[in-house]
Amino acid sequence: MTLVDNENVKDIKIGFIGGGSRYWAQDFMCDLAKANNISGKVYLYDIDKHAAKCNETIGNGIRNHYENADNFDYIAVDTYEEALSGADAVVISILPGTFDEMEVDVHAAEEYGIVQSVGDTTGIGGIIRALRTLPMFFEFGEQIKKYCPDAFVINYTNPMALCTGALYKVFPEIKCFGCCHEVFSSQSLLKKILEEKLGLTDIKREDIKINVIGVNHFTWITEAYYHNIDLFPLYREYCLEHIEKGVPITYEITELNKHFVHNEKVKMDLFLRFGFMAAAGDRHLAEFCPRSWYLKDKETVENYGFALTPVSWRKSHLVERLEKRDRLLSGEEIFEMKETGEEGVRQLSALFGLDDFVTNVNLPNMGQIPNLPLGAIVETNARFSAGSVRPVFAGNIPKELKALIDKTVDIQELIMEAAYERDLDKAFIAFISEEQNTLDLKQSRELFDKMIEGTKEYLKDYFK
Amino acid sequence: MTLVDNENVKDIKIGFIGGGSRYWAQDFMCDLAKANNISGKVYLYDIDKHAAKCNETIGNGIRNHYENADNFDYIAVDTYEEALSGADAVVISILPGTFDEMEVDVHAAEEYGIVQSVGDTTGIGGIIRALRTLPMFFEFGEQIKKYCPDAFVINYTNPMALCTGALYKVFPEIKCFGCCHEVFSSQSLLKKILEEKLGLTDIKREDIKINVIGVNHFTWITEAYYHNIDLFPLYREYCLEHIEKGVPITYEITELNKHFVHNEKVKMDLFLRFGFMAAAGDRHLAEFCPRSWYLKDKETVENYGFALTPVSWRKSHLVERLEKRDRLLSGEEIFEMKETGEEGVRQLSALFGLDDFVTNVNLPNMGQIPNLPLGAIVETNARFSAGSVRPVFAGNIPKELKALIDKTVDIQELIMEAAYERDLDKAFIAFISEEQNTLDLKQSRELFDKMIEGTKEYLKDYFK
Amino acid sequence: MTLVDNENVKDIKIGFIGGGSRYWAQDFMCDLAKANNISGKVYLYDIDKHAAKCNETIGNGIRNHYENADNFDYIAVDTYEEALSGADAVVISILPGTFDEMEVDVHAAEEYGIVQSVGDTTGIGGIIRALRTLPMFFEFGEQIKKYCPDAFVINYTNPMALCTGALYKVFPEIKCFGCCHEVFSSQSLLKKILEEKLGLTDIKREDIKINVIGVNHFTWITEAYYHNIDLFPLYREYCLEHIEKGVPITYEITELNKHFVHNEKVKMDLFLRFGFMAAAGDRHLAEFCPRSWYLKDKETVENYGFALTPVSWRKSHLVERLEKRDRLLSGEEIFEMKETGEEGVRQLSALFGLDDFVTNVNLPNMGQIPNLPLGAIVETNARFSAGSVRPVFAGNIPKELKALIDKTVDIQELIMEAAYERDLDKAFIAFISEEQNTLDLKQSRELFDKMIEGTKEYLKDYFK
Amino acid sequence: MTLVDNENVKDIKIGFIGGGSRYWAQDFMCDLAKANNISGKVYLYDIDKHAAKCNETIGNGIRNHYENADNFDYIAVDTYEEALSGADAVVISILPGTFDEMEVDVHAAEEYGIVQSVGDTTGIGGIIRALRTLPMFFEFGEQIKKYCPDAFVINYTNPMALCTGALYKVFPEIKCFGCCHEVFSSQSLLKKILEEKLGLTDIKREDIKINVIGVNHFTWITEAYYHNIDLFPLYREYCLEHIEKGVPITYEITELNKHFVHNEKVKMDLFLRFGFMAAAGDRHLAEFCPRSWYLKDKETVENYGFALTPVSWRKSHLVERLEKRDRLLSGEEIFEMKETGEEGVRQLSALFGLDDFVTNVNLPNMGQIPNLPLGAIVETNARFSAGSVRPVFAGNIPKELKALIDKTVDIQELIMEAAYERDLDKAFIAFISEEQNTLDLKQSRELFDKMIEGTKEYLKDYFK
């Protein structure tokens, strides 16, 4: 950056770590192309340079099809230095390892009767994924400290809380926040209920005002209003009506979405039980609760109406994504401008002084949740404005939810230490402390060893 | 309240304690009349019932002169019960005692060489004023707890931090915040500098984005931006240019304003010294610093270009205000709609779900300033939105400012305890600990006794 | 109290709530009789007045058989007022409900495959027990506040942390601490190891210097020394040698002790796993860990070498106790003076100014364990000295142990709230959050309802 | 270290920084010689190697005159490495700069009417002394981290709190505590009062049980007992009797002690005013209070009956000390074994596992005083036992004392930052914030510049 003529910021430099991303990068490019008051250059860095090159081509091609979409240039680079030196903002979105490692994360425990719906954030799979991911983030943090200590940094990678925390661990002054759109779907559900029950129309998701509290993917809404309408009594009514059959699925179930389907029964069950609205998708929520509640076995999962996402699907879907990429590169297919539902570009604009708004985001706890440990990465509302993102006071975790959320945070802190010290014994203590792990001590050891063995390609540091 | 048809809230009940207010009530009425999406009734309670009656007449007369200004009815009432029962909001703006007591607060110490510029918040005068005011606020808090525990409560009375704190002391669940416009003038100064130095125009005060931190009247700005322009380097330049002669006074100095004049030399001196922008007027700021800095004697005051506000002026000005009131009542003068510069009505609208914005306000410290005591009434930004006002994380008080701010907070906590326990010995410890009190122990005792004697009409509880 | 002639305190008044106690009262009387520098009166209050009367007779009879054992008189009384008015110290040791209720606590879950080793502190049984016990302690707290607010109060009742917390909940200024001898046995184990491994002799338990941290019955030792010998390396060696077969049982296994037997395998397993020494008996420790570790089923329990204590045993043992009591009353048996291993009387002596020592005790967290919530009842070392017991800084709960200990504390806080508000829905949330409860949601509801039904005689308040 | 035969520790290595000390080293040697259960070697390091050599000779000579006084050998060394490598304990007692710098600290401000009684801890002199001392302690901390990170470290140097804090600043894991005997004299005063008023005899100072709270030299006793006698009512009575004339001086006033004389009037005045017992000598206490109270001018000082200690006296007394040293070296005078009143050696013995006791000491605030900042160096009781010194919970600073103590702590933290960053502008903010500095801003600048100039020999780092 960054000159301003009062309403525009130009010459912005963005470094993109994981710039070869096959999923999320295109959404980000789309949002950048639509943001007409900012312009600059995006430097794509990826260990898979070819993938970054492809995104360079795709990104630079957008302008050919859309008016005023030439505000950002894309450049694939070879080094952190090129990507980060003097960057105003950094975006991190990587896949740690390959889907082969993810297969171990998610499916190795099935032999012991343990099923996982996502396996990338918490539970048995989340721990193993964290072990290989965190050392990468320690490295990213060091590079950012070296090349662009003042840059704003957005992390999109899971396990969100731990990855974001890893950056702060090695560089406490980093200006990083973690973005996740899971909470938005709860606002959308409330909007839908308002429309159905009160016949209101033209409601915007953002106008559902909520207080957000928790850790990523186990976030909770403790207060929800539309203007002066308290939405919790309405939601309770709705839950009582739909807890048996779940929220009707109104969209077509396809090969693409069938492994992500859920009918909000877990979310509604949690509300009826605890009195607060869980704010992520059911597949995520289930993994933070005791195994016996929603993930006891496949039958229980089915009764609660949510899908398990097999990694085999991810693998076959990847093939499709690569084919699509080839079509984009060859010009056979045209880059699609769409509503991404992501807020990262708006957040950056606000930080550059062009907007001022409040949304939910992952940040170190500075006191926004007084009864969680300082420094733990928590998700609450925060104000984005010129020069800073600052959390809004969210209040205490309600006593009803405290045991589950504390356990999550505590295990995260232990995994962080295990990864930082490359100490698999500590990691094993985390592994046996997890709610999803109901194996006895002997079986736990066995499974842990298998999973480490199965992902060791990315755990070399731990064996030095 | 309070039905909503999506964009309007009606049937709002507001209880106004100090509803006979001769100053501030008219501004509030003016802002209410201009707020077209809210409507309801305002109940005016005052120990001076006649004054409340006058405001009832004035308030209800507004509609005769302005279109769409009939949204609020005013009713003077005899009891707390009538004013508060079922209120959605409460406004408190009182004068504790008369100007005779204030004369003691401000001028009794002059005999000992101590001059005070305001004398209503801190220092010798602030303490004595607090002793008679806090018991009133304990009473208000009890009444609110009894009649409208869920109401939003705005306090406008000084000493702001202590009065607001007194409400929380007796009713910790109260939804109260304290409003003060002092910070706005610092934004205006920055706006002026931007215009002068960069030739920008059409800047709105609210677009100067700041981080606010401190206690009322000793508030500090630690970060200021206009879009992506960092304003501190500009401000430093400006301070260096104007520290000698002060900011030129561009308005005419009249009988009305001459005792409030200040040319920002204290504010600029503090910036050059500490590196942070003090955010209240010089007359207030000086009182929080060691006496020897700005209030050593009248000559020092003069050199620093600010006025002392004598109570004699307040007394004579009161006569004018009463004459004006009579003219309004008789119809000789017409109620003037103006830009009040106050935000109370906008804040209430936001709490009722009709707006969503961030501004500075006085609230108990819940962690928004981690290195001040929890529960101390601090001033920072806060988000006003449907159903709640929540502080925005402001960060630590910088080490440079910590000693002065801590001392202020500590003495406030001691005064609170002294007032709560009606313990003049504790009050005396506060009195001798004050920065403005440089008397030796014997003289301190003498002066304290005189001031207590001179205001004892309002301190009867302390002598039971 | 209490005159002092420098080395003696006389005229002490002690109120004993649960003064009909058939177990613990005799130990306390024994220790009082041996304490020659204090004297006074003990007022025995019990809802079973007859039992109190019996203890009166037994207590007053001690002097007939032992020299200098006439320092305390025992008086059974009818009211709190008589027991507590002007008391210098209060002792609380009650059985909440009867063994029939305890049978429900401990055995009702067996039908669902859940076994419990003690069932009085944590887990399914601990929760149900707490629900009926805490309202009694709220009452005790109110009575103490009314009749002897300055008295030192010792609680001996389980669930220790919750009962002690209940007193603080209703009377935050109470000078109460909770006593438990479980930790001493860990010191004794270390002493034994020192003797075995280094051939040392004449070691006193108290000379094993330890740092104690945690919550009652899930207490941990993070540091242990004998003079300058660090005992952890020795203990590790010992654990490695004995983890297979457990510590050899050297005493005879009888009807009386067979249900309390344990061979320290759980304790040693926890040390080898976590690196810290768990400081309670295995039967207690197992209940705080995930069910699958040590309490998965009876076979697992057997493998880990500890006994489950059936309530049937308690019932039959009670018959023996009552027979013994009759023999004491009739003079057929003589009161036995013995080494009780309890420290309550020594603690009181110190508080009266006659001793000064450090030992472990249960107190509200004032910061002695920085990473547990303030106010939670925690067990650490504390200094007993004239006029006060003050915790010694124990340090943070190690990250490895944090998840399990936090969950315990969180569930305790939820149960406290449930009991205080007589809210069985909150209690159910605690019930399903427990490590020992691995039932699915439907079965959990069923079991909870049965247990409430089975103990409803003592839960009447909850159904008002 | 360190073999143990159960009651003895031998082969202890102690590194002594400032080992040429002319005052305090001899006391330490004396106490070591008397401690018959520890033995080893003391390595004396000093920038004045000759002085260290002299102490080597003196220390090794003790055994010639006293039986069993051969337990420690003394060796003067040239490097930190020799002194510290493998040390079990480190002692630091240095004079930062010479008495010429101290003359500037204490007397430069007299020209402006400011008198100082000690000038080494707080106030104008304390700040300037800290500026040259802290960089030395940053260096000591680094050396200890390098050569003996596990050693226990005792600091005896003033400004105590800041010097101890400087070690923690550069090496947070250091096991350091600061020792000061000022509090003992308050226990002795209470002992004396007990003897006078109650006719008791044979009271030991340590048997006056106190709760200690505050920062070094501005420490307070909030609770004092002898057995079960509450000493505060007695002390109040005594203060009322002696506040006019002070405590009678019963010893002969000599050249040696006349500049240290004080008759406890400041201490008693503070008690009558605040209700708590200030626990340092009057000369120190006065410096922490507003200048107008006790140090307004020489007349006020005289009225309050305490002496100002001129550096000229220190200089002339140094000559005598050196003469005495020469006599000791030549054998003309024999090393005197005496009651030193110091506890350092007993503390080390406890840490080595040979004792277990509670005394007051300076440590980082870990929560022992909840309402002071974590990490601030505070003085409270602590338990010394095998392997660790752990603070005993002292409670909150009373509200009455909070303002003065907070200001002290805040200014210390600012000075620490100024010294760490070698930033004289920050130091100047501390300088103008001090209670003893009542100069206006212009005069403050002038004086500060003079004092920096006058001590610049030891401030070279600040001008790089």
Side-chain angles (χ1 to χ4, degrees), chain C residues 2 4 6-7 209 211 223 225-229 352-353 356 358 366 381 383 385-386 388 390-394, chain D residues 2 4 6-7 209 211 223 225-228 352-353 356 358 366 381 383 385-386 388 390-394:
Chain C
T2 125
V4 70
N6 209 345
E7 296 296 338
K209 304 293 178 185
N211 186 50
E223 205 177 277
Y225 280 88
Y226 177 66
H227 295 303
N228 69 340
I229 306 174
F352 296 153
D356 185 340
V358 168
M366 314 166 195
N381 282 326
R383 182 203 189 188
S385 182
S388 60
R390 294 171 176 276
V392 172
F393 183 76
Chain D
T2 133
V4 69
N6 210 346
E7 297 296 337
K209 304 294 179 184
N211 186 49
E223 205 178 275
Y225 280 88
Y226 177 66
H227 295 303
N228 69 341
F352 296 152
D356 185 341
V358 168
M366 312 166 195
N381 282 327
R383 181 203 190 188
S385 183
S388 60
R390 294 172 177 273
V392 172
F393 183 75

Side-chain angles (χ1 to χ4, degrees), chain D residues 190-254:
Chain D
L190 291 171
K191 164 175 136 70
K192 173 191 160 87
I193 293 170
L194 262 174
E195 290 167 347
E196 270 186 44
K197 293 207 162 276
L198 301 192
L200 298 178
T201 52
D202 291 330
I203 299 174
K204 279 186 289 176
R205 171 190 71 75
E206 301 91 308
D207 285 346
I208 307 294
K209 304 294 179 184
I210 55 179
N211 186 49
V212 174
I213 197 164
V215 287
N216 183 249
H217 290 169
F218 199 45
T219 326
W220 294 75
I221 294 171
T222 60
E223 205 178 275
Y225 280 88
Y226 177 66
H227 295 303
N228 69 341
I229 307 173
D230 180 352
L231 300 178
F232 272 19
L234 274 187
Y235 182 50
R236 178 174 301 280
E237 207 179 289
Y238 186 88
C239 287
L240 289 169
E241 289 160 11
H242 292 84
I243 189 63
E244 290 287 313
K245 304 206 169 164
V247 174
I249 308 281
T250 54
Y251 49 87
E252 190 191 357
I253 298 194
T254 64

